[in-house]
PDB file of all heavy atoms in Angstrom:
ATOM      1  N   PRO A 102    -137.881 -97.321-103.878  1.00 92.00           N
ATOM      2  CA  PRO A 102    -137.561 -96.727-105.180  1.00 92.00           C
ATOM      3  C   PRO A 102    -137.000 -95.304-105.085  1.00 92.00           C
ATOM      4  O   PRO A 102    -136.405 -94.812-106.056  1.00 92.00           O
ATOM      5  CB  PRO A 102    -138.913 -96.734-105.914  1.00 92.00           C
ATOM      6  CG  PRO A 102    -139.701 -97.808-105.257  1.00 92.00           C
ATOM      7  CD  PRO A 102    -139.294 -97.751-103.822  1.00 92.00           C
ATOM      8  N   GLN A 103    -137.176 -94.666-103.938  1.00 93.00           N
ATOM      9  CA  GLN A 103    -136.671 -93.301-103.768  1.00 93.00           C
ATOM     10  C   GLN A 103    -135.227 -93.258-103.268  1.00 93.00           C
ATOM     11  O   GLN A 103    -134.626 -92.186-103.185  1.00 93.00           O
ATOM     12  CB  GLN A 103    -137.569 -92.545-102.797  1.00 93.00           C
ATOM     13  CG  GLN A 103    -139.028 -92.461-103.231  1.00 93.00           C
ATOM     14  CD  GLN A 103    -139.902 -91.761-102.195  1.00 93.00           C
ATOM     15  OE1 GLN A 103    -139.627 -90.631-101.799  1.00 93.00           O
ATOM     16  NE2 GLN A 103    -140.943 -92.441-101.748  1.00 93.00           N
ATOM     17  N   VAL A 104    -134.672 -94.424-102.929  1.00 95.00           N
ATOM     18  CA  VAL A 104    -133.291 -94.477-102.434  1.00 95.00           C
ATOM     19  C   VAL A 104    -132.341 -94.349-103.621  1.00 95.00           C
ATOM     20  O   VAL A 104    -132.382 -95.151-104.551  1.00 95.00           O
ATOM     21  CB  VAL A 104    -133.028 -95.792-101.683  1.00 95.00           C
ATOM     22  CG1 VAL A 104    -131.567 -95.855-101.232  1.00 95.00           C
ATOM     23  CG2 VAL A 104    -133.957 -95.910-100.484  1.00 95.00           C
ATOM     24  N   LYS A 105    -131.504 -93.342-103.596  1.00 96.00           N
ATOM     25  CA  LYS A 105    -130.574 -93.073-104.689  1.00 96.00           C
ATOM     26  C   LYS A 105    -129.162 -93.499-104.305  1.00 96.00           C
ATOM     27  O   LYS A 105    -128.729 -93.301-103.165  1.00 96.00           O
ATOM     28  CB  LYS A 105    -130.592 -91.582-105.031  1.00 96.00           C
ATOM     29  CG  LYS A 105    -131.959 -91.067-105.471  1.00 96.00           C
ATOM     30  CD  LYS A 105    -131.919 -89.575-105.727  1.00 96.00           C
ATOM     31  CE  LYS A 105    -133.292 -89.048-106.150  1.00 96.00           C
ATOM     32  NZ  LYS A 105    -133.275 -87.573-106.358  1.00 96.00           N
ATOM     33  N   ALA A 106    -128.456 -94.049-105.272  1.00 97.00           N
ATOM     34  CA  ALA A 106    -127.113 -94.568-105.005  1.00 97.00           C
ATOM     35  C   ALA A 106    -126.181 -93.488-104.480  1.00 97.00           C
ATOM     36  O   ALA A 106    -125.376 -93.735-103.574  1.00 97.00           O
ATOM     37  CB  ALA A 106    -126.535 -95.193-106.275  1.00 97.00           C
ATOM     38  N   GLU A 107    -126.288 -92.278-105.023  1.00 97.00           N
ATOM     39  CA  GLU A 107    -125.403 -91.208-104.566  1.00 97.00           C
ATOM     40  C   GLU A 107    -125.699 -90.793-103.124  1.00 97.00           C
ATOM     41  O   GLU A 107    -124.797 -90.368-102.388  1.00 97.00           O
ATOM     42  CB  GLU A 107    -125.487 -89.992-105.491  1.00 97.00           C
ATOM     43  CG  GLU A 107    -126.854 -89.352-105.607  1.00 97.00           C
ATOM     44  CD  GLU A 107    -127.710 -89.909-106.732  1.00 97.00           C
ATOM     45  OE1 GLU A 107    -127.482 -91.082-107.136  1.00 97.00           O
ATOM     46  OE2 GLU A 107    -128.613 -89.191-107.206  1.00 97.00           O
ATOM     47  N   GLU A 108    -126.956 -90.955-102.699  1.00 97.00           N
ATOM     48  CA  GLU A 108    -127.298 -90.642-101.313  1.00 97.00           C
ATOM     49  C   GLU A 108    -126.806 -91.750-100.375  1.00 97.00           C
ATOM     50  O   GLU A 108    -126.354 -91.462 -99.258  1.00 97.00           O
ATOM     51  CB  GLU A 108    -128.808 -90.445-101.197  1.00 97.00           C
ATOM     52  CG  GLU A 108    -129.288 -89.206-101.946  1.00 97.00           C
ATOM     53  CD  GLU A 108    -130.799 -89.085-102.023  1.00 97.00           C
ATOM     54  OE1 GLU A 108    -131.504 -90.095-101.764  1.00 97.00           O
ATOM     55  OE2 GLU A 108    -131.275 -87.976-102.356  1.00 97.00           O
ATOM     56  N   VAL A 109    -126.884 -93.003-100.828  1.00 97.00           N
ATOM     57  CA  VAL A 109    -126.312 -94.094-100.045  1.00 97.00           C
ATOM     58  C   VAL A 109    -124.818 -93.856 -99.847  1.00 97.00           C
ATOM     59  O   VAL A 109    -124.286 -93.992 -98.738  1.00 97.00           O
ATOM     60  CB  VAL A 109    -126.557 -95.450-100.728  1.00 97.00           C
ATOM     61  CG1 VAL A 109    -125.812 -96.567 -99.991  1.00 97.00           C
ATOM     62  CG2 VAL A 109    -128.045 -95.768-100.790  1.00 97.00           C
ATOM     63  N   ALA A 110    -124.134 -93.466-100.919  1.00 98.00           N
ATOM     64  CA  ALA A 110    -122.694 -93.207-100.821  1.00 98.00           C
ATOM     65  C   ALA A 110    -122.406 -92.079 -99.843  1.00 98.00           C
ATOM     66  O   ALA A 110    -121.442 -92.142 -99.064  1.00 98.00           O
ATOM     67  CB  ALA A 110    -122.135 -92.875-102.203  1.00 98.00           C
ATOM     68  N   ALA A 111    -123.233 -91.043 -99.868  1.00 97.00           N
ATOM     69  CA  ALA A 111    -123.027 -89.925 -98.942  1.00 97.00           C
ATOM     70  C   ALA A 111    -123.230 -90.370 -97.499  1.00 97.00           C
ATOM     71  O   ALA A 111    -122.494 -89.938 -96.596  1.00 97.00           O
ATOM     72  CB  ALA A 111    -123.986 -88.784 -99.293  1.00 97.00           C
ATOM     73  N   ASP A 112    -124.213 -91.231 -97.268  1.00 97.00           N
ATOM     74  CA  ASP A 112    -124.457 -91.720 -95.911  1.00 97.00           C
ATOM     75  C   ASP A 112    -123.336 -92.660 -95.457  1.00 97.00           C
ATOM     76  O   ASP A 112    -122.946 -92.643 -94.286  1.00 97.00           O
ATOM     77  CB  ASP A 112    -125.811 -92.422 -95.845  1.00 97.00           C
ATOM     78  CG  ASP A 112    -126.981 -91.461 -96.087  1.00 97.00           C
ATOM     79  OD1 ASP A 112    -126.750 -90.234 -96.108  1.00 97.00           O
ATOM     80  OD2 ASP A 112    -128.108 -91.952 -96.270  1.00 97.00           O
ATOM     81  N   VAL A 113    -122.823 -93.459 -96.371  1.00 98.00           N
ATOM     82  CA  VAL A 113    -121.679 -94.310 -96.035  1.00 98.00           C
ATOM     83  C   VAL A 113    -120.480 -93.445 -95.668  1.00 98.00           C
ATOM     84  O   VAL A 113    -119.747 -93.745 -94.718  1.00 98.00           O
ATOM     85  CB  VAL A 113    -121.340 -95.256 -97.201  1.00 98.00           C
ATOM     86  CG1 VAL A 113    -120.006 -95.954 -96.963  1.00 98.00           C
ATOM     87  CG2 VAL A 113    -122.440 -96.293 -97.392  1.00 98.00           C
ATOM     88  N   ARG A 114    -120.281 -92.363 -96.393  1.00 98.00           N
ATOM     89  CA  ARG A 114    -119.170 -91.458 -96.075  1.00 98.00           C
ATOM     90  C   ARG A 114    -119.327 -90.888 -94.663  1.00 98.00           C
ATOM     91  O   ARG A 114    -118.351 -90.815 -93.894  1.00 98.00           O
ATOM     92  CB  ARG A 114    -119.100 -90.320 -97.090  1.00 98.00           C
ATOM     93  CG  ARG A 114    -117.901 -89.385 -96.870  1.00 98.00           C
ATOM     94  CD  ARG A 114    -117.921 -88.206 -97.829  1.00 98.00           C
ATOM     95  NE  ARG A 114    -117.787 -88.612 -99.212  1.00 98.00           N
ATOM     96  CZ  ARG A 114    -116.629 -88.871 -99.808  1.00 98.00           C
ATOM     97  NH1 ARG A 114    -115.491 -88.806 -99.117  1.00 98.00           N
ATOM     98  NH2 ARG A 114    -116.594 -89.211-101.087  1.00 98.00           N
ATOM     99  N   ALA A 115    -120.561 -90.508 -94.304  1.00 98.00           N
ATOM    100  CA  ALA A 115    -120.798 -89.970 -92.963  1.00 98.00           C
ATOM    101  C   ALA A 115    -120.523 -91.033 -91.900  1.00 98.00           C
ATOM    102  O   ALA A 115    -119.941 -90.744 -90.848  1.00 98.00           O
ATOM    103  CB  ALA A 115    -122.231 -89.457 -92.849  1.00 98.00           C
ATOM    104  N   ALA A 116    -120.917 -92.278 -92.169  1.00 98.00           N
ATOM    105  CA  ALA A 116    -120.663 -93.355 -91.219  1.00 98.00           C
ATOM    106  C   ALA A 116    -119.169 -93.629 -91.101  1.00 98.00           C
ATOM    107  O   ALA A 116    -118.646 -93.844 -90.002  1.00 98.00           O
ATOM    108  CB  ALA A 116    -121.402 -94.621 -91.650  1.00 98.00           C
ATOM    109  N   ALA A 117    -118.472 -93.626 -92.232  1.00 97.00           N
ATOM    110  CA  ALA A 117    -117.028 -93.862 -92.203  1.00 97.00           C
ATOM    111  C   ALA A 117    -116.317 -92.759 -91.435  1.00 97.00           C
ATOM    112  O   ALA A 117    -115.378 -93.020 -90.669  1.00 97.00           O
ATOM    113  CB  ALA A 117    -116.491 -93.953 -93.627  1.00 97.00           C
ATOM    114  N   THR A 118    -116.756 -91.525 -91.620  1.00 97.00           N
ATOM    115  CA  THR A 118    -116.161 -90.402 -90.888  1.00 97.00           C
ATOM    116  C   THR A 118    -116.357 -90.575 -89.388  1.00 97.00           C
ATOM    117  O   THR A 118    -115.449 -90.312 -88.591  1.00 97.00           O
ATOM    118  CB  THR A 118    -116.780 -89.075 -91.359  1.00 97.00           C
ATOM    119  OG1 THR A 118    -116.488 -88.902 -92.750  1.00 97.00           O
ATOM    120  CG2 THR A 118    -116.215 -87.894 -90.584  1.00 97.00           C
TER     121      THR A 118
END
Side-chain angles (χ1 to χ4, degrees):
Q103 301 177 55
V104 177
K105 300 177 181 178
E107 60 269 25
E108 293 172 344
V109 173
D112 294 350
V113 170
R114 184 184 296 277
T118 298

